[in-house]
Amino acid sequence: MTVKQAAEKLGFAILAGEDSLQREIEKVYCCDLLSFVMGRAPADSAWVTVMGNINAMAVATLADTACIVLAENAALDEDAAAKANLMDIAVLRSGLPVYETAKAIEQAKADD
Amino acid sequence: MAENIKLEYIVPGDDFTRAGEASSEVKSMLKKLGLSSSVVRKVAIAMYEGEINMVIHGGGGKINVEISPEKVDMILADQGPGIPNIDLAMQEGWSTAPDEVRNLGFGAGMGLPNMKKYSDEMKIESQVGKGTTVYMTVLVS
């Protein structure tokens, strides 16, 4: 399932990174502590978090996640959005809490 | 690659908005050179953690990267306060990061452990009051 398909199926808003929507989501990972994410997020994962700051964008690039999904309608900072578009990082937004967001992605992936 | 590629980056201290720029540039270069995605990811993660440590603790510093067909060497040097107890600093969860840094999502005490995990060789030289130099190598083949 691609990032774009996940967004369409689940009704998640696409906030940034239009050029990366064709990336495949292989796994789902949830965490807000950036050093944990750096060390443990699998490559090509959908990273569910509430951290929408510029450092989260750097972490997503370097850990090579497929996309960031901001749960709980968490804000994407303005400078973070600019960085996401510059670095081609797809950022989605979900109104669901972290666990429900991750579960919904996993379910959509299983149904795909 | 006819000759080794040598890169140098100055990392500004206390500027979290620019943290990761050097690592991102090196990652892009390694991708262009056609290195495997697992090698690129290892270098990117190890270097970024070092870069963040320089911003949080070291007051900035200098990173030298040398890319050869066999390996990627990274030397990260700062003139910060140094690490009094390296064994303690290497433990997962140990952190001296201030609260404002934790609020950004850092300071979980995973920086040095992640650097060790994602590099094939790592050595730390540190002197209290003088600074810290971290040497990391990621093997290409």
Side-chain angles (χ1 to χ4, degrees), chain A residues 32-36 38-43 51 53-55 58-64 79 83 87, chain B residues 16-17 19-21 23-24 27 41 44-45 48-49 52 92 103-106 108 110-111 114 117-118:
Chain A
D32 295 323
L33 280 172
L34 300 184
S35 275
F36 269 74
M38 276 307 278
R40 298 179 184 180
M51 297 295 277
N53 64 26
I54 195 165
N55 302 111
V59 167
T61 302
L62 295 161
D64 208 16
D79 57 354
K83 180 102 170 177
M87 306 297 286
Chain B
F16 283 94
T17 59
E21 283 184 2
S23 310
S24 297
K27 183 186 177 189
R41 190 162 181 266
I45 291 174
Y48 179 66
E49 290 286 12
I52 282 290
E92 282 192 10
N103 290 341
L104 293 171
F106 297 111
M110 296 297 291
N114 279 346
K117 180 177 170 186
Y118 284 95

Side-chain angles (χ1 to χ4, degrees), chain B residues 40-57:
Chain B
V40 173
R41 190 162 181 266
K42 281 172 72 174
V43 172
I45 291 174
M47 186 170 158
Y48 179 66
E49 290 286 12
E51 195 178 342
I52 282 290
N53 274 350
M54 292 168 94
V55 175
I56 297 174
H57 302 288

Side-chain angles (χ1 to χ4, degrees), chain B residues 3 7-8 15-16 24 28 32 39 50 55 69 75-76 84 102 109 115-116 139:
Chain B
E3 280 182 21
L7 307 162
E8 184 175 300
D15 187 355
F16 283 94
S24 297
S28 299
K32 277 184 201 148
V39 168
V55 175
I75 303 172
L76 299 88
R102 291 173 195 263
M115 288 157 74
K116 188 169 175 60
L139 301 175

Side-chain angles (χ1 to χ4, degrees), chain A residues 42-61:
Chain A
D44 303 313
S45 56
W47 169 26
V48 184
T49 180
V50 293
M51 297 295 277
N53 64 26
I54 195 165
N55 302 111
M57 303 306 124
V59 167
T61 302

Side-chain angles (χ1 to χ4, degrees), chain A residues 12-95:
Chain A
F12 294 170
I14 298 166
L15 305 183
E18 292 277 349
D19 291 343
S20 286
L21 297 176
Q22 294 311 319
R23 276 192 74 163
E24 283 287 329
I25 295 173
E26 301 293 344
K27 292 189 175 179
V28 186
Y29 180 82
C30 308
C31 189
D32 295 323
L33 280 172
L34 300 184
S35 275
F36 269 74
V37 180
M38 276 307 278
R40 298 179 184 180
D44 303 313
S45 56
W47 169 26
V48 184
T49 180
V50 293
M51 297 295 277
N53 64 26
I54 195 165
N55 302 111
M57 303 306 124
V59 167
T61 302
L62 295 161
D64 208 16
T65 61
C67 64
I68 295 175
V69 185
L70 292 172
E72 307 260 19
N73 280 325
L76 178 64
D77 295 348
E78 208 172 300
D79 57 354
K83 180 102 170 177
N85 285 321
L86 184 72
M87 306 297 286
D88 287 335
I89 306 157
V91 183
L92 310 182
R93 180 185 281 151
S94 152

Side-chain angles (χ1 to χ4, degrees), chain B:
Chain B
M1 209 186 308
E3 280 182 21
N4 291 358
I5 296 170
K6 293 179 183 176
L7 307 162
E8 184 175 300
Y9 299 95
I10 301 297
V11 178
D14 294 324
D15 187 355
F16 283 94
T17 59
R18 291 185 56 197
E21 283 184 2
S23 310
S24 297
E25 273 188 36
V26 170
K27 183 186 177 189
S28 299
M29 172 157 288
L30 295 179
K31 273 172 99 172
K32 277 184 201 148
L33 289 169
L35 274 73
S36 75
S37 57
S38 68
V39 168
V40 173
R41 190 162 181 266
K42 281 172 72 174
V43 172
I45 291 174
M47 186 170 158
Y48 179 66
E49 290 286 12
E51 195 178 342
I52 282 290
N53 274 350
M54 292 168 94
V55 175
I56 297 174
H57 302 288
K62 194 172 79 172
I63 303 178
N64 287 92
V65 181
E66 183 164 350
I67 307 163
S68 74
E70 297 82 28
K71 60 183 181 167
V72 180
D73 286 314
M74 293 161 270
I75 303 172
L76 299 88
D78 68 55
Q79 294 177 329
I83 305 171
N85 185 332
I86 292 175
D87 289 340
L88 197 56
M90 287 302 300
Q91 286 181 19
E92 282 192 10
W94 173 261
S95 176
T96 56
D99 284 347
E100 60 266 31
V101 169
R102 291 173 195 263
N103 290 341
L104 293 171
F106 297 111
M110 296 297 291
L112 286 171
N114 279 346
M115 288 157 74
K116 188 169 175 60
K117 180 177 170 186
Y118 284 95
S119 58
D120 294 300
E121 289 166 30
M122 177 171 145
K123 186 176 78 173
I124 303 173
E125 287 172 357
S126 190
Q127 233 182 323
V128 174
K130 295 212 166 162
T132 301
T133 302
V134 181
Y135 303 82
M136 293 189 288
T137 298
V138 171
L139 301 175
V140 169
S141 45

